[in-house]
């Protein structure tokens, strides 16, 4: 499903997927995956994940004499960033820089000058209307702006005749929310179930701005050089997961002593109120988006 993210690769770069719920599941499956990978006769192995599965595969490659380099995730610095007391609010190295470091260890320095999977520029929309994408959901509650507040943002831009709003998401519960919004705001368009990954990326490339949580849609928009207004709650850009070349000035977040409480957003709010999200006013997000729509 993620293969469209790897389109436009050089002729000597190939995509192989791991079926972790099928033939590559468990230790036996990892051995099968290793056997398939070994047939490619790699000269080097770059591990950008550094989790239990990849550690095992890297061990097998090392035992066969293949040079291996693994990512340093900077867990110590991130732990200090999210601990409850005596936080150290230092901007951690970005994940992109960490990936580049892995390749550099193997003797392949990387220029971090990527712009878009479509190259330079955007195709014209031709109607003079500003296109806004809104992706209001994320995997964890601590990364989701309350839906009733998000609706106020949707309503504001749905009422502008010079703006077209596209909703991005997936799943039954998200579709129910989108369906209720569309009934109230008929000019808004839901993209759930209408596009595959490739065509969704193409649409994103034509947006003037994407509103996203700290979620996959922030990164998808970044891949096609679309500016993103990102909303942060339990997590924080300092952890190093900001979208590619997205600007810190385009983030919306509150300065609370408890933030950030989680690197990935999965921890429940110890305050029980998710003030980091709930106390963000819709007007703050609206103002940030409108500032990016000015030619």
């Amino acid at each position: 499903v993620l293969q469209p993210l790897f389109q436009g690769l050089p002729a000597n770069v190939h995509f192989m997927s791991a079926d972790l719920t099928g033939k590559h599941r468990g230790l036996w499956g990892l051995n099968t995956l290793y056997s398939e990978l070994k047939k490619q006769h790699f000269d080097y192995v770059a591990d950008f994940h550094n989790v239990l599965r990849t550690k095992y595969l890297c061990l097998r490659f090392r035992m066969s004499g293949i040079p291996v380099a693994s990512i340093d995730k900077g867990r110590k610095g991130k732990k200090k960033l999210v601990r409850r007391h005596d936080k150290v609010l230092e901007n951690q190295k970005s994940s992109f820089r960490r990936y580049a470091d892995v390749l550099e260890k193997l003797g392949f320095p990387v220029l971090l000058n990527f712009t878009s999977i479509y190259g330079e520029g955007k195709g014209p929309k031709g109607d003079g209307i500003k296109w806004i994408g809104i992706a209001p959901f994320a995997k964890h509650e601590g990364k989701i702006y309350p839906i009733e507040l998000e609706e106020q943002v949707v309503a504001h831009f749905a009422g502008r005749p010079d703006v077209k709003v596209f909703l991005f998401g997936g799943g039954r519960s998200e579709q129910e929310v989108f369906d209720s919004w569309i009934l109230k705001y008929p000019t808004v368009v839901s993209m759930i179930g209408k596009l595959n990954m490739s065509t969704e990326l193409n649409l994103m490339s034509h947006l003037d701005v994407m509103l996203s949580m700290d979620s996959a849609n922030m990164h998808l928009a970044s891949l096609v050089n679309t500016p993103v207004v990102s909303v942060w709650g339990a997590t924080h850009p300092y952890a190093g997961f900001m979208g590619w070349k997205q600007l810190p000035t385009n983030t919306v977040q509150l300065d609370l002593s408890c933030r950030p409480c989680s690197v990935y957003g999965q921890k429940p709010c110890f305050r029980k109120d998710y003030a980091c999200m709930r106390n963000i006013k819709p007007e703050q997000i609206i103002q940030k988006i409108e500032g990016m729509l000015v030619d």
Side-chain angles (χ1 to χ4, degrees):
V1 67
L2 295 179
Q3 190 162 3
L5 300 180
F6 299 89
Q7 61 184 286
L9 296 174
N12 63 338
V13 181
H14 305 279
F15 176 88
M16 292 178 60
S17 61
D19 182 9
L20 299 178
T21 60
K23 66 175 181 176
H24 299 142
R25 182 180 180 181
L27 183 60
W28 183 269
L30 283 179
N31 286 326
T32 300
L33 179 58
Y34 170 73
S35 297
E36 294 172 4
L37 293 172
K38 190 176 180 182
K39 292 177 183 178
Q40 302 299 316
H41 302 291
F42 298 125
D43 296 302
Y44 305 89
V45 172
D47 173 15
F48 293 147
H49 208 25
N50 199 8
V51 295
L52 193 58
R53 290 189 184 97
T54 60
K55 287 177 186 291
Y56 177 74
L57 292 172
C58 287
L59 175 64
R60 295 293 306 271
F61 277 112
R62 285 193 181 97
M63 291 175 64
S64 66
I66 305 298
V68 173
S70 297
I71 190 171
D72 175 5
K73 291 187 172 181
R75 290 186 174 92
K76 183 181 292 186
K78 292 173 182 175
K79 186 176 181 179
K80 292 178 181 179
L81 181 68
V82 302
R83 63 192 181 191
R84 178 129 10 136
H85 304 291
D86 301 318
K87 291 181 181 295
V88 180
L89 288 174
E90 290 183 353
N91 201 352
Q92 304 298 300
K93 185 184 295 186
S94 77
S95 294
F96 309 111
R97 182 66 260 174
R98 294 184 188 279
Y99 297 146
D101 288 347
V102 176
L103 295 173
E104 194 165 333
K105 290 177 189 175
L106 295 173
F108 301 98
V110 177
L111 290 176
L112 296 178
N113 58 358
F114 170 82
T115 301
S116 167
I117 60 174
Y118 297 125
E120 300 289 340
K122 296 173 179 280
K125 299 191 295 292
D127 55 9
I129 293 178
K130 300 293 186 180
W131 286 12
I132 299 176
I134 296 181
F137 296 100
K139 186 174 182 180
H140 305 294
E141 185 177 358
K143 301 201 292 185
I144 301 176
Y145 189 52
I147 296 304
E148 68 274 13
L149 299 178
E150 186 82 49
E151 183 177 348
Q152 295 181 43
V153 178
V154 173
H156 173 83
F157 289 106
R160 282 185 51 169
D162 61 336
V163 168
K164 188 73 173 177
V165 176
F166 298 89
L167 303 176
F168 292 87
R172 179 176 297 177
S173 61
E174 296 182 19
Q175 183 162 5
E176 290 175 356
V177 172
F178 287 1
D179 288 346
S180 70
W181 288 353
I182 291 168
L183 287 174
K184 298 177 186 177
Y185 319 108
T187 60
V188 173
V189 180
S190 169
M191 304 315 299
I192 289 184
K194 296 180 180 178
L195 303 174
N196 58 30
M197 177 70 76
S198 182
T199 50
E200 186 166 280
L201 285 168
N202 191 291
L203 172 59
M204 285 185 183
S205 73
H206 293 283
L207 298 176
D208 292 282
V209 59
M210 167 71 87
L211 170 62
S212 175
M213 308 300 104
D214 171 19
S215 67
N217 281 293
M218 171 178 63
H219 298 287
L220 294 176
S222 299
L223 280 178
V224 294
N225 197 30
T226 292
V228 177
V229 170
S230 52
V231 183
W232 300 75
T235 58
H236 198 288
Y238 275 11
F241 299 117
M242 180 79 103
W244 174 253
K245 289 193 175 180
Q246 297 298 336
L247 301 177
T249 55
N250 293 336
T251 62
V252 180
Q253 54 186 330
L254 298 178
D255 185 14
L256 298 178
S257 61
C258 57
R259 285 194 65 237
C261 64
S262 175
V263 174
Y264 303 108
Q266 78 278 25
K267 295 180 181 178
C269 176
F270 74 89
R271 292 172 43 135
K272 311 298 183 186
D273 62 355
Y274 289 98
C276 57
M277 279 294 194
R278 190 160 292 280
N279 289 355
I280 295 174
K281 299 183 184 302
E283 291 77 16
Q284 293 175 260
I285 299 174
I286 291 170
Q287 184 179 23
K288 190 75 71 173
I289 295 173
E290 288 191 331
M292 298 176 67
L293 294 178
V294 177
D295 289 325

